PDB file of all heavy atoms in Angstrom:
ATOM      1  N   ALA A 894     100.404  92.476  94.364  1.00  0.00           N
ATOM      2  CA  ALA A 894     100.090  93.487  95.451  1.00  0.00           C
ATOM      3  C   ALA A 894     100.730  94.870  94.937  1.00  0.00           C
ATOM      4  O   ALA A 894     101.849  94.871  94.463  1.00  0.00           O
ATOM      5  CB  ALA A 894     100.822  93.205  96.798  1.00  0.00           C
ATOM      6  N   TYR A 895      99.816  95.916  95.128  1.00  0.00           N
ATOM      7  CA  TYR A 895     100.249  97.288  94.681  1.00  0.00           C
ATOM      8  C   TYR A 895      99.981  98.233  95.720  1.00  0.00           C
ATOM      9  O   TYR A 895      98.925  98.163  96.437  1.00  0.00           O
ATOM     10  CB  TYR A 895      99.585  97.722  93.289  1.00  0.00           C
ATOM     11  CG  TYR A 895      99.966  96.739  92.138  1.00  0.00           C
ATOM     12  CD1 TYR A 895      99.064  95.753  91.892  1.00  0.00           C
ATOM     13  CD2 TYR A 895     101.049  96.991  91.539  1.00  0.00           C
ATOM     14  CE1 TYR A 895      99.255  94.940  90.710  1.00  0.00           C
ATOM     15  CE2 TYR A 895     101.342  96.024  90.456  1.00  0.00           C
ATOM     16  CZ  TYR A 895     100.365  95.131  90.110  1.00  0.00           C
ATOM     17  OH  TYR A 895     100.698  94.211  89.011  1.00  0.00           O
ATOM     18  N   VAL A 896     100.893  99.309  95.854  1.00  0.00           N
ATOM     19  CA  VAL A 896     100.574 100.368  96.722  1.00  0.00           C
ATOM     20  C   VAL A 896     100.384 101.654  95.804  1.00  0.00           C
ATOM     21  O   VAL A 896     101.306 102.019  95.229  1.00  0.00           O
ATOM     22  CB  VAL A 896     101.706 100.671  97.754  1.00  0.00           C
ATOM     23  CG1 VAL A 896     101.428 101.809  98.640  1.00  0.00           C
ATOM     24  CG2 VAL A 896     101.971  99.381  98.577  1.00  0.00           C
ATOM     25  N   ALA A 897      99.236 102.139  95.877  1.00  0.00           N
ATOM     26  CA  ALA A 897      98.809 103.103  94.850  1.00  0.00           C
ATOM     27  C   ALA A 897      98.700 104.546  95.572  1.00  0.00           C
ATOM     28  O   ALA A 897      98.115 104.629  96.740  1.00  0.00           O
ATOM     29  CB  ALA A 897      97.343 102.808  94.330  1.00  0.00           C
ATOM     30  N   GLY A 898      99.024 105.559  94.733  1.00  0.00           N
ATOM     31  CA  GLY A 898      98.780 106.879  95.148  1.00  0.00           C
ATOM     32  C   GLY A 898      99.811 107.558  96.131  1.00  0.00           C
ATOM     33  O   GLY A 898      99.674 108.611  96.692  1.00  0.00           O
ATOM     34  N   ALA A 899     100.884 106.766  96.405  1.00  0.00           N
ATOM     35  CA  ALA A 899     101.941 107.301  97.324  1.00  0.00           C
ATOM     36  C   ALA A 899     102.796 108.473  96.636  1.00  0.00           C
ATOM     37  O   ALA A 899     103.252 108.310  95.495  1.00  0.00           O
ATOM     38  CB  ALA A 899     102.903 106.250  97.808  1.00  0.00           C
ATOM     39  N   GLY A 900     102.895 109.587  97.364  1.00  0.00           N
ATOM     40  CA  GLY A 900     103.661 110.800  96.914  1.00  0.00           C
ATOM     41  C   GLY A 900     104.316 111.346  98.099  1.00  0.00           C
ATOM     42  O   GLY A 900     104.014 111.139  99.182  1.00  0.00           O
ATOM     43  N   GLY A 901     105.343 112.220  97.675  1.00  0.00           N
ATOM     44  CA  GLY A 901     106.019 113.109  98.707  1.00  0.00           C
ATOM     45  C   GLY A 901     106.738 112.148  99.769  1.00  0.00           C
ATOM     46  O   GLY A 901     107.418 111.109  99.451  1.00  0.00           O
ATOM     47  N   LYS A 902     106.545 112.544 101.011  1.00  0.00           N
ATOM     48  CA  LYS A 902     107.245 111.761 102.171  1.00  0.00           C
ATOM     49  C   LYS A 902     106.790 110.375 102.328  1.00  0.00           C
ATOM     50  O   LYS A 902     107.520 109.612 102.746  1.00  0.00           O
ATOM     51  CB  LYS A 902     107.154 112.730 103.384  1.00  0.00           C
ATOM     52  CG  LYS A 902     107.891 113.944 103.346  1.00  0.00           C
ATOM     53  CD  LYS A 902     107.730 114.684 104.698  1.00  0.00           C
ATOM     54  CE  LYS A 902     108.508 115.974 104.726  1.00  0.00           C
ATOM     55  NZ  LYS A 902     108.477 116.748 105.982  1.00  0.00           N
ATOM     56  N   VAL A 903     105.394 110.214 101.897  1.00  0.00           N
ATOM     57  CA  VAL A 903     104.959 108.758 102.045  1.00  0.00           C
ATOM     58  C   VAL A 903     105.676 107.956 101.127  1.00  0.00           C
ATOM     59  O   VAL A 903     106.046 106.720 101.513  1.00  0.00           O
ATOM     60  CB  VAL A 903     103.446 108.893 101.886  1.00  0.00           C
ATOM     61  CG1 VAL A 903     102.861 107.343 101.822  1.00  0.00           C
ATOM     62  CG2 VAL A 903     102.675 109.728 102.857  1.00  0.00           C
ATOM     63  N   ARG A 904     105.903 108.392  99.831  1.00  0.00           N
ATOM     64  CA  ARG A 904     106.511 107.514  98.874  1.00  0.00           C
ATOM     65  C   ARG A 904     108.017 107.323  99.286  1.00  0.00           C
ATOM     66  O   ARG A 904     108.472 106.238  99.173  1.00  0.00           O
ATOM     67  CB  ARG A 904     106.337 108.250  97.421  1.00  0.00           C
ATOM     68  CG  ARG A 904     106.983 107.253  96.405  1.00  0.00           C
ATOM     69  CD  ARG A 904     106.916 108.034  95.016  1.00  0.00           C
ATOM     70  NE  ARG A 904     107.347 107.036  93.930  1.00  0.00           N
ATOM     71  CZ  ARG A 904     106.608 106.329  93.159  1.00  0.00           C
ATOM     72  NH1 ARG A 904     105.303 106.436  93.398  1.00  0.00           N
ATOM     73  NH2 ARG A 904     106.972 105.558  92.310  1.00  0.00           N
ATOM     74  N   GLU A 905     108.633 108.419  99.849  1.00  0.00           N
ATOM     75  CA  GLU A 905     110.000 108.311 100.205  1.00  0.00           C
ATOM     76  C   GLU A 905     110.113 107.250 101.296  1.00  0.00           C
ATOM     77  O   GLU A 905     111.035 106.348 101.253  1.00  0.00           O
ATOM     78  CB  GLU A 905     110.472 109.599 100.753  1.00  0.00           C
ATOM     79  CG  GLU A 905     110.742 110.736  99.692  1.00  0.00           C
ATOM     80  CD  GLU A 905     111.106 111.990 100.149  1.00  0.00           C
ATOM     81  OE1 GLU A 905     111.464 112.079 101.408  1.00  0.00           O
ATOM     82  OE2 GLU A 905     111.062 113.134  99.349  1.00  0.00           O
ATOM     83  N   ARG A 906     109.238 107.291 102.199  1.00  0.00           N
ATOM     84  CA  ARG A 906     109.265 106.339 103.408  1.00  0.00           C
ATOM     85  C   ARG A 906     109.048 104.907 102.880  1.00  0.00           C
ATOM     86  O   ARG A 906     109.828 103.881 103.274  1.00  0.00           O
ATOM     87  CB  ARG A 906     108.326 106.610 104.488  1.00  0.00           C
ATOM     88  CG  ARG A 906     108.235 105.581 105.560  1.00  0.00           C
ATOM     89  CD  ARG A 906     107.750 106.121 106.903  1.00  0.00           C
ATOM     90  NE  ARG A 906     108.787 106.950 107.622  1.00  0.00           N
ATOM     91  CZ  ARG A 906     108.840 107.413 108.666  1.00  0.00           C
ATOM     92  NH1 ARG A 906     107.557 107.369 109.314  1.00  0.00           N
ATOM     93  NH2 ARG A 906     109.689 108.103 109.218  1.00  0.00           N
ATOM     94  N   LEU A 907     108.173 104.705 102.053  1.00  0.00           N
ATOM     95  CA  LEU A 907     107.906 103.375 101.445  1.00  0.00           C
ATOM     96  C   LEU A 907     109.057 102.780 100.647  1.00  0.00           C
ATOM     97  O   LEU A 907     109.471 101.662 100.734  1.00  0.00           O
ATOM     98  CB  LEU A 907     106.591 103.387 100.636  1.00  0.00           C
ATOM     99  CG  LEU A 907     105.301 103.581 101.447  1.00  0.00           C
ATOM    100  CD1 LEU A 907     104.175 103.763 100.378  1.00  0.00           C
ATOM    101  CD2 LEU A 907     104.948 102.297 102.255  1.00  0.00           C
ATOM    102  N   GLU A 908     109.641 103.683  99.901  1.00  0.00           N
ATOM    103  CA  GLU A 908     110.754 103.272  99.118  1.00  0.00           C
ATOM    104  C   GLU A 908     112.037 102.926 100.013  1.00  0.00           C
ATOM    105  O   GLU A 908     112.784 101.924  99.682  1.00  0.00           O
ATOM    106  CB  GLU A 908     111.169 104.394  98.069  1.00  0.00           C
ATOM    107  CG  GLU A 908     110.195 104.492  96.897  1.00  0.00           C
ATOM    108  CD  GLU A 908     110.504 105.702  96.016  1.00  0.00           C
ATOM    109  OE1 GLU A 908     111.196 106.579  96.466  1.00  0.00           O
ATOM    110  OE2 GLU A 908     109.853 105.707  95.018  1.00  0.00           O
ATOM    111  N   ARG A 909     112.165 103.748 101.112  1.00  0.00           N
ATOM    112  CA  ARG A 909     113.413 103.491 101.957  1.00  0.00           C
ATOM    113  C   ARG A 909     113.244 102.069 102.582  1.00  0.00           C
ATOM    114  O   ARG A 909     114.111 101.388 102.919  1.00  0.00           O
ATOM    115  CB  ARG A 909     113.507 104.464 103.001  1.00  0.00           C
ATOM    116  CG  ARG A 909     114.070 105.802 102.483  1.00  0.00           C
ATOM    117  CD  ARG A 909     114.726 106.645 103.701  1.00  0.00           C
ATOM    118  NE  ARG A 909     113.687 106.960 104.679  1.00  0.00           N
ATOM    119  CZ  ARG A 909     112.880 108.037 104.657  1.00  0.00           C
ATOM    120  NH1 ARG A 909     113.024 108.884 103.714  1.00  0.00           N
ATOM    121  NH2 ARG A 909     112.036 108.272 105.584  1.00  0.00           N
ATOM    122  N   PHE A 910     111.815 101.747 102.823  1.00  0.00           N
ATOM    123  CA  PHE A 910     111.740 100.396 103.560  1.00  0.00           C
ATOM    124  C   PHE A 910     111.729  99.328 102.432  1.00  0.00           C
ATOM    125  O   PHE A 910     111.599  98.155 102.708  1.00  0.00           O
ATOM    126  CB  PHE A 910     110.340 100.482 104.236  1.00  0.00           C
ATOM    127  CG  PHE A 910     110.319 100.970 105.545  1.00  0.00           C
ATOM    128  CD1 PHE A 910     110.538 102.331 105.834  1.00  0.00           C
ATOM    129  CD2 PHE A 910     110.247 100.102 106.673  1.00  0.00           C
ATOM    130  CE1 PHE A 910     110.670 102.843 107.184  1.00  0.00           C
ATOM    131  CE2 PHE A 910     110.328 100.635 107.993  1.00  0.00           C
ATOM    132  CZ  PHE A 910     110.556 101.950 108.186  1.00  0.00           C
ATOM    133  N   GLY A 911     111.816  99.559 101.196  1.00  0.00           N
ATOM    134  CA  GLY A 911     111.923  98.619 100.052  1.00  0.00           C
ATOM    135  C   GLY A 911     110.596  97.959  99.788  1.00  0.00           C
ATOM    136  O   GLY A 911     110.558  96.756  99.452  1.00  0.00           O
ATOM    137  N   VAL A 912     109.562  98.723  99.939  1.00  0.00           N
ATOM    138  CA  VAL A 912     108.141  98.160  99.639  1.00  0.00           C
ATOM    139  C   VAL A 912     108.071  97.942  98.118  1.00  0.00           C
ATOM    140  O   VAL A 912     108.303  99.030  97.390  1.00  0.00           O
ATOM    141  CB  VAL A 912     107.026  99.091 100.226  1.00  0.00           C
ATOM    142  CG1 VAL A 912     105.712  98.493  99.793  1.00  0.00           C
ATOM    143  CG2 VAL A 912     107.230  99.069 101.664  1.00  0.00           C
ATOM    144  N   HIS A 913     107.537  96.901  97.615  1.00  0.00           N
ATOM    145  CA  HIS A 913     107.399  96.574  96.239  1.00  0.00           C
ATOM    146  C   HIS A 913     106.045  97.091  95.625  1.00  0.00           C
ATOM    147  O   HIS A 913     105.090  97.191  96.415  1.00  0.00           O
ATOM    148  CB  HIS A 913     107.683  95.095  95.852  1.00  0.00           C
ATOM    149  CG  HIS A 913     108.960  94.625  96.249  1.00  0.00           C
ATOM    150  ND1 HIS A 913     110.132  94.970  95.547  1.00  0.00           N
ATOM    151  CD2 HIS A 913     109.401  93.777  97.323  1.00  0.00           C
ATOM    152  CE1 HIS A 913     111.132  94.300  96.132  1.00  0.00           C
ATOM    153  NE2 HIS A 913     110.676  93.605  97.187  1.00  0.00           N
ATOM    154  N   GLY A 914     105.940  97.345  94.395  1.00  0.00           N
ATOM    155  CA  GLY A 914     104.727  97.635  93.789  1.00  0.00           C
ATOM    156  C   GLY A 914     104.165  98.991  94.036  1.00  0.00           C
ATOM    157  O   GLY A 914     102.904  99.054  94.032  1.00  0.00           O
ATOM    158  N   ILE A 915     104.948  99.990  94.071  1.00  0.00           N
ATOM    159  CA  ILE A 915     104.431 101.359  94.393  1.00  0.00           C
ATOM    160  C   ILE A 915     104.099 102.015  92.961  1.00  0.00           C
ATOM    161  O   ILE A 915     104.921 102.037  92.109  1.00  0.00           O
ATOM    162  CB  ILE A 915     105.524 102.190  95.075  1.00  0.00           C
ATOM    163  CG1 ILE A 915     105.911 101.608  96.476  1.00  0.00           C
ATOM    164  CG2 ILE A 915     105.001 103.664  95.292  1.00  0.00           C
ATOM    165  CD1 ILE A 915     107.155 102.328  97.197  1.00  0.00           C
ATOM    166  N   LEU A 916     102.878 102.518  92.914  1.00  0.00           N
ATOM    167  CA  LEU A 916     102.434 103.068  91.651  1.00  0.00           C
ATOM    168  C   LEU A 916     101.840 104.456  91.967  1.00  0.00           C
ATOM    169  O   LEU A 916     101.511 104.640  93.103  1.00  0.00           O
ATOM    170  CB  LEU A 916     101.345 102.239  90.930  1.00  0.00           C
ATOM    171  CG  LEU A 916     101.776 100.812  90.556  1.00  0.00           C
ATOM    172  CD1 LEU A 916     100.706  99.961  89.873  1.00  0.00           C
ATOM    173  CD2 LEU A 916     102.947 100.929  89.432  1.00  0.00           C
ATOM    174  N   ALA A 917     101.922 105.348  90.939  1.00  0.00           N
ATOM    175  CA  ALA A 917     101.657 106.796  91.182  1.00  0.00           C
ATOM    176  C   ALA A 917     100.079 106.976  91.482  1.00  0.00           C
ATOM    177  O   ALA A 917      99.880 107.959  92.233  1.00  0.00           O
ATOM    178  CB  ALA A 917     102.038 107.546  89.966  1.00  0.00           C
ATOM    179  N   SER A 918      99.254 106.138  90.963  1.00  0.00           N
ATOM    180  CA  SER A 918      97.828 106.477  91.112  1.00  0.00           C
ATOM    181  C   SER A 918      97.057 105.093  91.255  1.00  0.00           C
ATOM    182  O   SER A 918      97.470 104.072  90.915  1.00  0.00           O
ATOM    183  CB  SER A 918      97.298 107.312  89.911  1.00  0.00           C
ATOM    184  OG  SER A 918      97.247 106.506  88.809  1.00  0.00           O
ATOM    185  N   ARG A 919      95.746 105.374  91.859  1.00  0.00           N
ATOM    186  CA  ARG A 919      94.808 104.262  91.974  1.00  0.00           C
ATOM    187  C   ARG A 919      94.484 103.711  90.531  1.00  0.00           C
ATOM    188  O   ARG A 919      94.422 102.569  90.444  1.00  0.00           O
ATOM    189  CB  ARG A 919      93.550 104.722  92.643  1.00  0.00           C
ATOM    190  CG  ARG A 919      92.653 103.634  93.072  1.00  0.00           C
ATOM    191  CD  ARG A 919      91.570 104.126  94.031  1.00  0.00           C
ATOM    192  NE  ARG A 919      90.950 105.337  93.431  1.00  0.00           N
ATOM    193  CZ  ARG A 919      90.643 106.477  94.118  1.00  0.00           C
ATOM    194  NH1 ARG A 919      90.932 106.352  95.477  1.00  0.00           N
ATOM    195  NH2 ARG A 919      90.060 107.480  93.567  1.00  0.00           N
ATOM    196  N   LEU A 920      94.338 104.612  89.595  1.00  0.00           N
ATOM    197  CA  LEU A 920      94.001 104.068  88.261  1.00  0.00           C
ATOM    198  C   LEU A 920      95.057 103.241  87.608  1.00  0.00           C
ATOM    199  O   LEU A 920      94.773 102.217  87.086  1.00  0.00           O
ATOM    200  CB  LEU A 920      93.696 105.263  87.364  1.00  0.00           C
ATOM    201  CG  LEU A 920      93.423 105.077  85.806  1.00  0.00           C
ATOM    202  CD1 LEU A 920      92.149 104.191  85.702  1.00  0.00           C
ATOM    203  CD2 LEU A 920      93.301 106.378  85.057  1.00  0.00           C
ATOM    204  N   SER A 921      96.254 103.606  87.873  1.00  0.00           N
ATOM    205  CA  SER A 921      97.380 102.803  87.361  1.00  0.00           C
ATOM    206  C   SER A 921      97.348 101.442  88.020  1.00  0.00           C
ATOM    207  O   SER A 921      97.661 100.389  87.387  1.00  0.00           O
ATOM    208  CB  SER A 921      98.675 103.478  87.673  1.00  0.00           C
ATOM    209  OG  SER A 921      98.859 104.711  87.008  1.00  0.00           O
ATOM    210  N   ALA A 922      97.058 101.383  89.347  1.00  0.00           N
ATOM    211  CA  ALA A 922      97.074 100.175  90.013  1.00  0.00           C
ATOM    212  C   ALA A 922      95.918  99.301  89.534  1.00  0.00           C
ATOM    213  O   ALA A 922      96.026  98.003  89.394  1.00  0.00           O
ATOM    214  CB  ALA A 922      96.960 100.419  91.604  1.00  0.00           C
ATOM    215  N   LEU A 923      94.786  99.841  89.328  1.00  0.00           N
ATOM    216  CA  LEU A 923      93.593  98.990  88.737  1.00  0.00           C
ATOM    217  C   LEU A 923      93.945  98.566  87.439  1.00  0.00           C
ATOM    218  O   LEU A 923      93.551  97.402  87.051  1.00  0.00           O
ATOM    219  CB  LEU A 923      92.443  99.795  88.768  1.00  0.00           C
ATOM    220  CG  LEU A 923      91.806 100.152  90.106  1.00  0.00           C
ATOM    221  CD1 LEU A 923      90.658 101.284  90.034  1.00  0.00           C
ATOM    222  CD2 LEU A 923      91.138  98.890  90.712  1.00  0.00           C
ATOM    223  N   GLU A 924      94.515  99.399  86.555  1.00  0.00           N
ATOM    224  CA  GLU A 924      94.985  98.939  85.167  1.00  0.00           C
ATOM    225  C   GLU A 924      95.922  97.824  85.245  1.00  0.00           C
ATOM    226  O   GLU A 924      95.909  96.768  84.497  1.00  0.00           O
ATOM    227  CB  GLU A 924      95.520 100.017  84.429  1.00  0.00           C
ATOM    228  CG  GLU A 924      94.582 101.160  83.965  1.00  0.00           C
ATOM    229  CD  GLU A 924      95.172 102.335  83.354  1.00  0.00           C
ATOM    230  OE1 GLU A 924      96.488 102.574  83.588  1.00  0.00           O
ATOM    231  OE2 GLU A 924      94.398 103.252  82.651  1.00  0.00           O
ATOM    232  N   ALA A 925      96.932  97.864  86.207  1.00  0.00           N
ATOM    233  CA  ALA A 925      97.831  96.818  86.339  1.00  0.00           C
ATOM    234  C   ALA A 925      97.193  95.584  86.915  1.00  0.00           C
ATOM    235  O   ALA A 925      97.600  94.371  86.403  1.00  0.00           O
ATOM    236  CB  ALA A 925      98.965  97.187  87.394  1.00  0.00           C
ATOM    237  N   ALA A 926      96.232  95.678  87.790  1.00  0.00           N
ATOM    238  CA  ALA A 926      95.466  94.608  88.453  1.00  0.00           C
ATOM    239  C   ALA A 926      94.669  93.785  87.194  1.00  0.00           C
ATOM    240  O   ALA A 926      94.730  92.632  87.139  1.00  0.00           O
ATOM    241  CB  ALA A 926      94.654  94.988  89.465  1.00  0.00           C
ATOM    242  N   HIS A 927      94.011  94.639  86.399  1.00  0.00           N
ATOM    243  CA  HIS A 927      93.188  93.973  85.201  1.00  0.00           C
ATOM    244  C   HIS A 927      94.219  93.359  84.273  1.00  0.00           C
ATOM    245  O   HIS A 927      93.832  92.300  83.785  1.00  0.00           O
ATOM    246  CB  HIS A 927      92.540  95.257  84.570  1.00  0.00           C
ATOM    247  CG  HIS A 927      91.542  94.857  83.446  1.00  0.00           C
ATOM    248  ND1 HIS A 927      91.928  94.553  82.171  1.00  0.00           N
ATOM    249  CD2 HIS A 927      90.296  94.457  83.585  1.00  0.00           C
ATOM    250  CE1 HIS A 927      90.858  94.237  81.438  1.00  0.00           C
ATOM    251  NE2 HIS A 927      89.840  94.262  82.290  1.00  0.00           N
ATOM    252  N   SER A 928      95.315  93.937  84.113  1.00  0.00           N
ATOM    253  CA  SER A 928      96.247  93.312  83.178  1.00  0.00           C
ATOM    254  C   SER A 928      96.821  91.928  83.730  1.00  0.00           C
ATOM    255  O   SER A 928      96.809  90.966  82.998  1.00  0.00           O
ATOM    256  CB  SER A 928      97.561  94.188  82.855  1.00  0.00           C
ATOM    257  OG  SER A 928      98.489  93.640  82.168  1.00  0.00           O
TER     258      SER A 928
END
């Protein structure tokens, strides 16, 4: 499971809640899924 494209306050909130698998972009998430 990946959360893609989170930035700014959205990323801060997800990180504070300890959500795993946060990636910078949708492309990075698709590459990780393919891998």
